[in-house]
Amino acid sequence: MQKGNSLDTLSPKINPRKPLVLFVPGSGEDIDSRDYRAVLSAIEQRGYRTQFVPIKWARTTPGKWRTQLMEEYAKHDAHETILAGFSFGAVTALLAAAERNPAALWLCSLSPYFAENFAHEYMKTSWLNYLGKRRVNEFRHLSFEALAAKVSCPTQLYYGEEEFQKFPIMKRQSELAQKDITDAVLYIAPHAGHDVTNTNYLQTIHSTI
């Protein structure tokens, strides 16, 4: 994360009337993999309660990720809960929201591994090889359009500006999300890449929630 984040100087002012935000990290990551505490803090600055939801990523597929999040999500009132996540964590949040709509859905750098994207020229074979056969097979049958049709809550999409430049498939996914999720709103973090803890990314989240 960049130094000198102005959000660091703010003290959280939790508003108990605001929903709880369940936040899911990126693939293979835990709370210490990057500065996820800064992400939680940025959300708390806006009055929300937060809870980091760890996922057992090793040798698991998207369905298992959803199950793990649902186990925690089931403990809370859906109308008083916001689901949020980064990268594959955003995929996990989307899968859970399609099963049980939350108060809102915040998708940060939503990964593009959905059935609609596999045949696209921007999808690189090297990425699929990295994922492994079991995950790829499940993703190939995961229709974004079908999932989006089940989401009726307010949805905010976040991407770093540099993601669109470096990974055109991410821009395509953002366009699919805006088209298929009713009233989804897209926010672009300037001069930020695929990193939710980047100062500009954090400030974009902080200023729009």
Side-chain angles (χ1 to χ4, degrees), residues 89-163:
V91 172
T92 307
L94 173 63
L95 291 172
E99 186 170 327
R100 181 178 180 231
N101 268 259
L105 181 61
W106 299 345
L107 303 176
C108 302
S109 299
L110 177 67
S111 295
Y113 299 101
F114 296 98
E116 291 84 349
N117 291 325
F118 271 85
H120 199 276
E121 61 180 326
Y122 292 147
M123 183 65 76
K124 295 185 178 180
T125 302
S126 59
W127 299 344
L128 304 182
N129 292 337
Y130 176 78
L131 285 178
K133 291 183 179 179
R134 289 175 59 234
R135 287 179 178 174
V136 168
N137 287 339
E138 191 164 315
F139 275 125
R140 283 187 186 279
H141 295 90
L142 201 59
S143 167
F144 181 81
E145 183 178 5
L147 288 170
K150 298 177 181 179
V151 175
S152 58
C153 62
T155 301
Q156 294 176 203
L157 309 166
Y158 295 92
Y159 284 91
E161 178 184 26
E162 294 171 4
E163 291 187 270

